[in-house]
Amino acid sequence: MNIDILAYGAFFLTMGLTYSIMCLGLNVQWGQTGLFNVGIAAFVAIGAYVSALLTTPETPDRFGGFDLPIAIGWLGAALAAGIAAWLVGALTIRLRSDYLAIATFGVAVSVQLCVLNIQPVTGGAFGIGFIPRPFGSLASDPLAFSLANLALTTCVVLALYLGLEHLAKSPWGRVLRAIREDEMAAQALGKRPIRFRLQAFTIGGAIMGLAGAVQGHFIGFIAPDNYLPILTFQVWAMLIVGGSGNNRGAILGAILVWGLWALTAAAVSAFVPPEQQARASSLQIVAIGVGLCLILLLRPSGILGQGRAMRVGRTKPKSEE
């Protein structure tokens, strides 16, 4: 029993960390730059499907099956999602706030419909199975398999965290914050807001694509239903709960909201009759909504608040010196 609990705990944390990667990508776009991207599911799906096509065994009725190493699949996923984000950003980055949100939401719906209907490439509604899983040789030992994948995903999240922290403190990151706080002042100093926004949007999209690949390989199966708009709502809730502009908050918020999602799913399966569980599953969304409202009331800046790099310094008045 204890081994089963440990294995599930490792599985739970690994899934939470895959959502943390998505949150880190959104934090580059929104937390650092103020880009209101509501098409997160699109870039996650692109990453997942590209990596699956590159790494799965050859299949006679579907394009792909190149049987490449997982690392190549992950790199290809990040590259493909980054290119897609650049193309979308080149067309929409000049839009502001709600208009950008509408445009990116349309992109997410379009991508979801494409993966649902282009069956010779994506497998259609049946999705793609037999995706190679890291440390697949340990699959017969659930605890070892889960712990190994947890360690790998932790390393990916840690590498991304350190890299993004470095970027946030670099001149590039300071320009992004300057553009977000006062675009006219940044432009007066010779900065080109459109170019920097496009760069941030591309980097965030590439990170989201990597998250889709990591999650898809950990589960071993992907399908269009995994990339519905509800995924975008989840990731936004995670970032808001943890603290927008704070990379540590993005990681913490992802784990907490994923935990609430998993807890409510367990409660529904335990206390709701089987014939009503499909309808009662909407309570998961309600629980996240209630939790989000409580956080906004009690901690408007999120649990950890804005990161140090995001806080604008102020000069102490003489009375405090």
mmCIF file of all heavy atoms in Angstrom, residues 165-206:
data_model
loop_
_atom_site.group_PDB
_atom_site.id
_atom_site.type_symbol
_atom_site.label_atom_id
_atom_site.label_comp_id
_atom_site.label_asym_id
_atom_site.label_seq_id
_atom_site.Cartn_x
_atom_site.Cartn_y
_atom_site.Cartn_z
ATOM 1 N N GLU A 165 14.710 32.852 -15.218
ATOM 2 C CA GLU A 165 15.135 33.821 -14.211
ATOM 3 C C GLU A 165 16.295 34.664 -14.745
ATOM 4 O O GLU A 165 16.344 35.885 -14.523
ATOM 5 C CB GLU A 165 15.559 33.097 -12.932
ATOM 6 C CG GLU A 165 14.402 32.610 -12.088
ATOM 7 C CD GLU A 165 13.671 33.741 -11.404
ATOM 8 O OE1 GLU A 165 14.272 34.426 -10.554
ATOM 9 O OE2 GLU A 165 12.487 33.978 -11.743
ATOM 10 N N HIS A 166 17.205 34.016 -15.439
ATOM 11 C CA HIS A 166 18.327 34.753 -16.030
ATOM 12 C C HIS A 166 17.827 35.748 -17.074
ATOM 13 O O HIS A 166 18.277 36.904 -17.120
ATOM 14 C CB HIS A 166 19.321 33.778 -16.650
ATOM 15 C CG HIS A 166 20.457 34.441 -17.358
ATOM 16 N ND1 HIS A 166 21.492 35.069 -16.696
ATOM 17 C CD2 HIS A 166 20.709 34.604 -18.696
ATOM 18 C CE1 HIS A 166 22.340 35.584 -17.573
ATOM 19 N NE2 HIS A 166 21.894 35.309 -18.790
ATOM 20 N N LEU A 167 16.875 35.310 -17.915
ATOM 21 C CA LEU A 167 16.320 36.207 -18.923
ATOM 22 C C LEU A 167 15.585 37.382 -18.286
ATOM 23 O O LEU A 167 15.673 38.520 -18.755
ATOM 24 C CB LEU A 167 15.363 35.441 -19.843
ATOM 25 C CG LEU A 167 15.976 34.604 -20.959
ATOM 26 C CD1 LEU A 167 14.885 33.882 -21.735
ATOM 27 C CD2 LEU A 167 16.793 35.476 -21.899
ATOM 28 N N ALA A 168 14.843 37.113 -17.205
ATOM 29 C CA ALA A 168 14.076 38.178 -16.560
ATOM 30 C C ALA A 168 14.978 39.263 -15.985
ATOM 31 O O ALA A 168 14.603 40.441 -15.952
ATOM 32 C CB ALA A 168 13.204 37.579 -15.456
ATOM 33 N N LYS A 169 16.169 38.872 -15.539
ATOM 34 C CA LYS A 169 17.093 39.841 -14.948
ATOM 35 C C LYS A 169 18.033 40.448 -15.970
ATOM 36 O O LYS A 169 18.812 41.351 -15.639
ATOM 37 C CB LYS A 169 17.899 39.165 -13.841
ATOM 38 C CG LYS A 169 17.035 38.670 -12.687
ATOM 39 C CD LYS A 169 17.843 37.845 -11.696
ATOM 40 C CE LYS A 169 16.947 37.283 -10.598
ATOM 41 N NZ LYS A 169 17.692 36.419 -9.663
ATOM 42 N N SER A 170 17.975 39.958 -17.199
ATOM 43 C CA SER A 170 18.860 40.451 -18.256
ATOM 44 C C SER A 170 18.293 41.744 -18.843
ATOM 45 O O SER A 170 17.134 42.112 -18.590
ATOM 46 C CB SER A 170 18.985 39.397 -19.353
ATOM 47 O OG SER A 170 17.752 39.261 -20.040
ATOM 48 N N PRO A 171 19.087 42.453 -19.649
ATOM 49 C CA PRO A 171 18.546 43.653 -20.324
ATOM 50 C C PRO A 171 17.298 43.365 -21.141
ATOM 51 O O PRO A 171 16.389 44.195 -21.207
ATOM 52 C CB PRO A 171 19.719 44.092 -21.212
ATOM 53 C CG PRO A 171 20.939 43.600 -20.494
ATOM 54 C CD PRO A 171 20.531 42.290 -19.878
ATOM 55 N N TRP A 172 17.243 42.176 -21.762
ATOM 56 C CA TRP A 172 16.053 41.804 -22.537
ATOM 57 C C TRP A 172 14.817 41.766 -21.654
ATOM 58 O O TRP A 172 13.761 42.290 -22.013
ATOM 59 C CB TRP A 172 16.290 40.443 -23.192
ATOM 60 C CG TRP A 172 15.183 39.966 -24.074
ATOM 61 C CD1 TRP A 172 14.947 40.335 -25.365
ATOM 62 C CD2 TRP A 172 14.151 39.019 -23.733
ATOM 63 N NE1 TRP A 172 13.835 39.679 -25.856
ATOM 64 C CE2 TRP A 172 13.338 38.869 -24.877
ATOM 65 C CE3 TRP A 172 13.856 38.299 -22.580
ATOM 66 C CZ2 TRP A 172 12.238 38.016 -24.895
ATOM 67 C CZ3 TRP A 172 12.766 37.441 -22.598
ATOM 68 C CH2 TRP A 172 11.965 37.308 -23.743
ATOM 69 N N GLY A 173 14.932 41.152 -20.475
ATOM 70 C CA GLY A 173 13.806 41.086 -19.557
ATOM 71 C C GLY A 173 13.410 42.454 -19.047
ATOM 72 O O GLY A 173 12.207 42.746 -18.876
ATOM 73 N N ARG A 174 14.383 43.320 -18.805
ATOM 74 C CA ARG A 174 14.057 44.660 -18.331
ATOM 75 C C ARG A 174 13.330 45.461 -19.411
ATOM 76 O O ARG A 174 12.449 46.264 -19.105
ATOM 77 C CB ARG A 174 15.332 45.374 -17.889
ATOM 78 C CG ARG A 174 15.940 44.780 -16.624
ATOM 79 C CD ARG A 174 16.957 45.716 -16.000
ATOM 80 N NE ARG A 174 18.144 45.877 -16.834
ATOM 81 C CZ ARG A 174 19.212 45.089 -16.746
ATOM 82 N NH1 ARG A 174 19.233 44.069 -15.883
ATOM 83 N NH2 ARG A 174 20.259 45.298 -17.521
ATOM 84 N N VAL A 175 13.684 45.242 -20.664
ATOM 85 C CA VAL A 175 12.973 45.913 -21.758
ATOM 86 C C VAL A 175 11.521 45.447 -21.810
ATOM 87 O O VAL A 175 10.603 46.258 -21.997
ATOM 88 C CB VAL A 175 13.680 45.652 -23.104
ATOM 89 C CG1 VAL A 175 12.819 46.140 -24.263
ATOM 90 C CG2 VAL A 175 15.027 46.334 -23.132
ATOM 91 N N LEU A 176 11.292 44.155 -21.638
ATOM 92 C CA LEU A 176 9.925 43.640 -21.645
ATOM 93 C C LEU A 176 9.089 44.303 -20.555
ATOM 94 O O LEU A 176 7.942 44.705 -20.785
ATOM 95 C CB LEU A 176 9.921 42.122 -21.441
ATOM 96 C CG LEU A 176 10.428 41.245 -22.595
ATOM 97 C CD1 LEU A 176 10.265 39.783 -22.236
ATOM 98 C CD2 LEU A 176 9.701 41.564 -23.890
ATOM 99 N N ARG A 177 9.650 44.410 -19.360
ATOM 100 C CA ARG A 177 8.901 45.032 -18.261
ATOM 101 C C ARG A 177 8.673 46.516 -18.518
ATOM 102 O O ARG A 177 7.618 47.053 -18.194
ATOM 103 C CB ARG A 177 9.641 44.814 -16.941
ATOM 104 C CG ARG A 177 9.688 43.353 -16.521
ATOM 105 C CD ARG A 177 10.173 43.216 -15.093
ATOM 106 N NE ARG A 177 11.546 43.680 -14.937
ATOM 107 C CZ ARG A 177 12.612 42.941 -15.231
ATOM 108 N NH1 ARG A 177 12.458 41.723 -15.709
ATOM 109 N NH2 ARG A 177 13.835 43.413 -15.042
ATOM 110 N N ALA A 178 9.660 47.153 -19.129
ATOM 111 C CA ALA A 178 9.494 48.571 -19.452
ATOM 112 C C ALA A 178 8.372 48.761 -20.473
ATOM 113 O O ALA A 178 7.551 49.687 -20.351
ATOM 114 C CB ALA A 178 10.803 49.139 -19.997
ATOM 115 N N ILE A 179 8.309 47.869 -21.455
ATOM 116 C CA ILE A 179 7.248 47.952 -22.459
ATOM 117 C C ILE A 179 5.892 47.716 -21.820
ATOM 118 O O ILE A 179 4.909 48.395 -22.135
ATOM 119 C CB ILE A 179 7.512 46.944 -23.592
ATOM 120 C CG1 ILE A 179 8.751 47.357 -24.388
ATOM 121 C CG2 ILE A 179 6.305 46.813 -24.505
ATOM 122 C CD1 ILE A 179 9.198 46.327 -25.400
ATOM 123 N N ARG A 180 5.839 46.759 -20.884
ATOM 124 C CA ARG A 180 4.564 46.482 -20.231
ATOM 125 C C ARG A 180 4.116 47.663 -19.367
ATOM 126 O O ARG A 180 2.939 48.018 -19.344
ATOM 127 C CB ARG A 180 4.683 45.227 -19.361
ATOM 128 C CG ARG A 180 3.412 44.955 -18.581
ATOM 129 C CD ARG A 180 3.419 43.632 -17.855
ATOM 130 N NE ARG A 180 2.157 43.435 -17.168
ATOM 131 C CZ ARG A 180 1.792 42.334 -16.563
ATOM 132 N NH1 ARG A 180 2.614 41.306 -16.555
ATOM 133 N NH2 ARG A 180 0.639 42.229 -15.966
ATOM 134 N N GLU A 181 5.051 48.287 -18.655
ATOM 135 C CA GLU A 181 4.689 49.374 -17.755
ATOM 136 C C GLU A 181 4.390 50.667 -18.506
ATOM 137 O O GLU A 181 3.438 51.375 -18.163
ATOM 138 C CB GLU A 181 5.821 49.605 -16.744
ATOM 139 C CG GLU A 181 6.070 48.431 -15.813
ATOM 140 C CD GLU A 181 4.873 48.125 -14.948
ATOM 141 O OE1 GLU A 181 4.132 49.053 -14.591
ATOM 142 O OE2 GLU A 181 4.668 46.938 -14.634
ATOM 143 N N ASP A 182 5.196 50.986 -19.505
ATOM 144 C CA ASP A 182 5.008 52.249 -20.230
ATOM 145 C C ASP A 182 5.620 52.103 -21.621
ATOM 146 O O ASP A 182 6.810 52.351 -21.821
ATOM 147 C CB ASP A 182 5.658 53.407 -19.470
ATOM 148 C CG ASP A 182 5.238 54.766 -20.027
ATOM 149 O OD1 ASP A 182 4.857 54.829 -21.207
ATOM 150 O OD2 ASP A 182 5.305 55.764 -19.279
ATOM 151 N N GLU A 183 4.796 51.713 -22.566
ATOM 152 C CA GLU A 183 5.290 51.437 -23.904
ATOM 153 C C GLU A 183 5.836 52.691 -24.575
ATOM 154 O O GLU A 183 6.867 52.644 -25.255
ATOM 155 C CB GLU A 183 4.169 50.838 -24.755
ATOM 156 C CG GLU A 183 4.590 50.526 -26.184
ATOM 157 C CD GLU A 183 3.480 49.906 -26.997
ATOM 158 O OE1 GLU A 183 2.579 49.296 -26.385
ATOM 159 O OE2 GLU A 183 3.509 50.050 -28.232
ATOM 160 N N MET A 184 5.190 53.818 -24.372
ATOM 161 C CA MET A 184 5.630 55.046 -25.009
ATOM 162 C C MET A 184 7.015 55.455 -24.513
ATOM 163 O O MET A 184 7.868 55.901 -25.295
ATOM 164 C CB MET A 184 4.618 56.172 -24.739
ATOM 165 C CG MET A 184 3.251 55.932 -25.354
ATOM 166 S SD MET A 184 3.323 55.757 -27.148
ATOM 167 C CE MET A 184 3.824 57.416 -27.607
ATOM 168 N N ALA A 185 7.256 55.301 -23.217
ATOM 169 C CA ALA A 185 8.571 55.655 -22.677
ATOM 170 C C ALA A 185 9.646 54.730 -23.239
ATOM 171 O O ALA A 185 10.746 55.176 -23.587
ATOM 172 C CB ALA A 185 8.536 55.572 -21.149
ATOM 173 N N ALA A 186 9.338 53.419 -23.322
ATOM 174 C CA ALA A 186 10.309 52.476 -23.881
ATOM 175 C C ALA A 186 10.594 52.789 -25.342
ATOM 176 O O ALA A 186 11.738 52.710 -25.803
ATOM 177 C CB ALA A 186 9.783 51.052 -23.732
ATOM 178 N N GLN A 187 9.554 53.156 -26.071
ATOM 179 C CA GLN A 187 9.734 53.488 -27.482
ATOM 180 C C GLN A 187 10.555 54.762 -27.637
ATOM 181 O O GLN A 187 11.366 54.883 -28.574
ATOM 182 C CB GLN A 187 8.360 53.654 -28.146
ATOM 183 C CG GLN A 187 8.378 53.546 -29.652
ATOM 184 C CD GLN A 187 6.994 53.361 -30.227
ATOM 185 O OE1 GLN A 187 5.997 53.412 -29.512
ATOM 186 N NE2 GLN A 187 6.909 53.143 -31.525
ATOM 187 N N ALA A 188 10.377 55.695 -26.718
ATOM 188 C CA ALA A 188 11.147 56.940 -26.768
ATOM 189 C C ALA A 188 12.635 56.688 -26.532
ATOM 190 O O ALA A 188 13.483 57.474 -26.973
ATOM 191 C CB ALA A 188 10.612 57.925 -25.733
ATOM 192 N N LEU A 189 12.949 55.575 -25.850
ATOM 193 C CA LEU A 189 14.344 55.216 -25.591
ATOM 194 C C LEU A 189 14.944 54.381 -26.718
ATOM 195 O O LEU A 189 16.057 53.860 -26.588
ATOM 196 C CB LEU A 189 14.445 54.451 -24.271
ATOM 197 C CG LEU A 189 14.109 55.272 -23.014
ATOM 198 C CD1 LEU A 189 14.078 54.373 -21.794
ATOM 199 C CD2 LEU A 189 15.116 56.403 -22.833
ATOM 200 N N GLY A 190 14.207 54.235 -27.811
ATOM 201 C CA GLY A 190 14.739 53.542 -28.981
ATOM 202 C C GLY A 190 14.404 52.069 -29.061
ATOM 203 O O GLY A 190 14.939 51.362 -29.927
ATOM 204 N N LYS A 191 13.542 51.567 -28.182
ATOM 205 C CA LYS A 191 13.154 50.157 -28.202
ATOM 206 C C LYS A 191 11.979 49.952 -29.154
ATOM 207 O O LYS A 191 11.153 50.839 -29.330
ATOM 208 C CB LYS A 191 12.797 49.672 -26.797
ATOM 209 C CG LYS A 191 13.881 49.931 -25.755
ATOM 210 C CD LYS A 191 15.201 49.294 -26.132
ATOM 211 C CE LYS A 191 16.275 49.602 -25.089
ATOM 212 N NZ LYS A 191 17.585 49.017 -25.476
ATOM 213 N N ARG A 192 11.934 48.772 -29.741
ATOM 214 C CA ARG A 192 10.846 48.434 -30.672
ATOM 215 C C ARG A 192 9.911 47.437 -29.999
ATOM 216 O O ARG A 192 10.192 46.235 -29.954
ATOM 217 C CB ARG A 192 11.428 47.848 -31.956
ATOM 218 C CG ARG A 192 12.322 48.830 -32.702
ATOM 219 C CD ARG A 192 12.992 48.183 -33.890
ATOM 220 N NE ARG A 192 12.018 47.631 -34.834
ATOM 221 C CZ ARG A 192 12.339 46.910 -35.895
ATOM 222 N NH1 ARG A 192 13.628 46.634 -36.136
ATOM 223 N NH2 ARG A 192 11.412 46.440 -36.699
ATOM 224 N N PRO A 193 8.787 47.919 -29.448
ATOM 225 C CA PRO A 193 7.892 47.040 -28.679
ATOM 226 C C PRO A 193 7.398 45.829 -29.456
ATOM 227 O O PRO A 193 7.318 44.732 -28.903
ATOM 228 C CB PRO A 193 6.734 47.973 -28.300
ATOM 229 C CG PRO A 193 7.331 49.342 -28.326
ATOM 230 C CD PRO A 193 8.336 49.317 -29.418
ATOM 231 N N ILE A 194 7.076 46.007 -30.725
ATOM 232 C CA ILE A 194 6.526 44.899 -31.507
ATOM 233 C C ILE A 194 7.537 43.766 -31.596
ATOM 234 O O ILE A 194 7.186 42.585 -31.422
ATOM 235 C CB ILE A 194 6.129 45.382 -32.922
ATOM 236 C CG1 ILE A 194 5.023 46.435 -32.835
ATOM 237 C CG2 ILE A 194 5.660 44.192 -33.755
ATOM 238 C CD1 ILE A 194 3.759 45.954 -32.179
ATOM 239 N N ARG A 195 8.788 44.098 -31.830
ATOM 240 C CA ARG A 195 9.814 43.060 -31.961
ATOM 241 C C ARG A 195 9.995 42.297 -30.657
ATOM 242 O O ARG A 195 10.063 41.061 -30.646
ATOM 243 C CB ARG A 195 11.146 43.693 -32.378
ATOM 244 C CG ARG A 195 12.227 42.663 -32.656
ATOM 245 C CD ARG A 195 13.525 43.323 -33.055
ATOM 246 N NE ARG A 195 14.127 44.040 -31.930
ATOM 247 C CZ ARG A 195 15.293 44.669 -32.003
ATOM 248 N NH1 ARG A 195 15.947 44.714 -33.149
ATOM 249 N NH2 ARG A 195 15.779 45.280 -30.942
ATOM 250 N N PHE A 196 10.046 43.005 -29.533
ATOM 251 C CA PHE A 196 10.233 42.338 -28.249
ATOM 252 C C PHE A 196 9.000 41.515 -27.872
ATOM 253 O O PHE A 196 9.131 40.429 -27.297
ATOM 254 C CB PHE A 196 10.538 43.373 -27.161
ATOM 255 C CG PHE A 196 11.960 43.859 -27.187
ATOM 256 C CD1 PHE A 196 12.307 44.997 -27.895
ATOM 257 C CD2 PHE A 196 12.959 43.155 -26.527
ATOM 258 C CE1 PHE A 196 13.615 45.447 -27.929
ATOM 259 C CE2 PHE A 196 14.277 43.596 -26.559
ATOM 260 C CZ PHE A 196 14.606 44.737 -27.263
ATOM 261 N N ARG A 197 7.819 42.023 -28.160
ATOM 262 C CA ARG A 197 6.604 41.247 -27.889
ATOM 263 C C ARG A 197 6.604 39.952 -28.691
ATOM 264 O O ARG A 197 6.220 38.896 -28.178
ATOM 265 C CB ARG A 197 5.362 42.075 -28.225
ATOM 266 C CG ARG A 197 4.986 43.109 -27.195
ATOM 267 C CD ARG A 197 3.512 43.458 -27.352
ATOM 268 N NE ARG A 197 3.137 44.515 -26.436
ATOM 269 C CZ ARG A 197 3.063 45.791 -26.741
ATOM 270 N NH1 ARG A 197 3.345 46.183 -27.974
ATOM 271 N NH2 ARG A 197 2.712 46.692 -25.859
ATOM 272 N N LEU A 198 6.987 40.050 -29.949
ATOM 273 C CA LEU A 198 7.006 38.858 -30.804
ATOM 274 C C LEU A 198 8.015 37.841 -30.290
ATOM 275 O O LEU A 198 7.752 36.627 -30.299
ATOM 276 C CB LEU A 198 7.322 39.259 -32.245
ATOM 277 C CG LEU A 198 7.279 38.139 -33.294
ATOM 278 C CD1 LEU A 198 5.921 37.460 -33.299
ATOM 279 C CD2 LEU A 198 7.594 38.699 -34.678
ATOM 280 N N GLN A 199 9.155 38.298 -29.820
ATOM 281 C CA GLN A 199 10.149 37.394 -29.257
ATOM 282 C C GLN A 199 9.604 36.681 -28.021
ATOM 283 O O GLN A 199 9.762 35.464 -27.870
ATOM 284 C CB GLN A 199 11.417 38.174 -28.902
ATOM 285 C CG GLN A 199 12.190 38.682 -30.107
ATOM 286 C CD GLN A 199 13.327 39.608 -29.724
ATOM 287 O OE1 GLN A 199 13.514 39.919 -28.545
ATOM 288 N NE2 GLN A 199 14.079 40.080 -30.703
ATOM 289 N N ALA A 200 8.959 37.440 -27.130
ATOM 290 C CA ALA A 200 8.402 36.841 -25.916
ATOM 291 C C ALA A 200 7.290 35.857 -26.249
ATOM 292 O O ALA A 200 7.187 34.780 -25.639
ATOM 293 C CB ALA A 200 7.878 37.937 -24.989
ATOM 294 N N PHE A 201 6.451 36.205 -27.218
ATOM 295 C CA PHE A 201 5.355 35.313 -27.611
ATOM 296 C C PHE A 201 5.906 34.013 -28.191
ATOM 297 O O PHE A 201 5.387 32.928 -27.918
ATOM 298 C CB PHE A 201 4.461 36.025 -28.632
ATOM 299 C CG PHE A 201 3.125 35.378 -28.832
ATOM 300 C CD1 PHE A 201 2.095 35.594 -27.933
ATOM 301 C CD2 PHE A 201 2.894 34.553 -29.916
ATOM 302 C CE1 PHE A 201 0.860 35.000 -28.112
ATOM 303 C CE2 PHE A 201 1.664 33.957 -30.105
ATOM 304 C CZ PHE A 201 0.633 34.179 -29.193
ATOM 305 N N THR A 202 6.970 34.122 -28.969
ATOM 306 C CA THR A 202 7.583 32.934 -29.580
ATOM 307 C C THR A 202 8.213 32.035 -28.525
ATOM 308 O O THR A 202 8.033 30.808 -28.538
ATOM 309 C CB THR A 202 8.637 33.358 -30.610
ATOM 310 O OG1 THR A 202 8.019 34.173 -31.613
ATOM 311 C CG2 THR A 202 9.279 32.144 -31.262
ATOM 312 N N ILE A 203 8.956 32.623 -27.589
ATOM 313 C CA ILE A 203 9.587 31.831 -26.532
ATOM 314 C C ILE A 203 8.532 31.155 -25.668
ATOM 315 O O ILE A 203 8.637 29.964 -25.343
ATOM 316 C CB ILE A 203 10.502 32.727 -25.680
ATOM 317 C CG1 ILE A 203 11.707 33.184 -26.512
ATOM 318 C CG2 ILE A 203 10.975 31.977 -24.434
ATOM 319 C CD1 ILE A 203 12.586 34.194 -25.824
ATOM 320 N N GLY A 204 7.488 31.891 -25.299
ATOM 321 C CA GLY A 204 6.414 31.293 -24.497
ATOM 322 C C GLY A 204 5.735 30.153 -25.223
ATOM 323 O O GLY A 204 5.445 29.101 -24.634
ATOM 324 N N GLY A 205 5.469 30.320 -26.520
ATOM 325 C CA GLY A 205 4.837 29.255 -27.296
ATOM 326 C C GLY A 205 5.720 28.025 -27.397
ATOM 327 O O GLY A 205 5.229 26.887 -27.325
ATOM 328 N N ALA A 206 7.040 28.226 -27.562
ATOM 329 C CA ALA A 206 7.961 27.091 -27.629
ATOM 330 C C ALA A 206 7.966 26.315 -26.312
ATOM 331 O O ALA A 206 7.991 25.070 -26.310
ATOM 332 C CB ALA A 206 9.367 27.585 -27.965
#
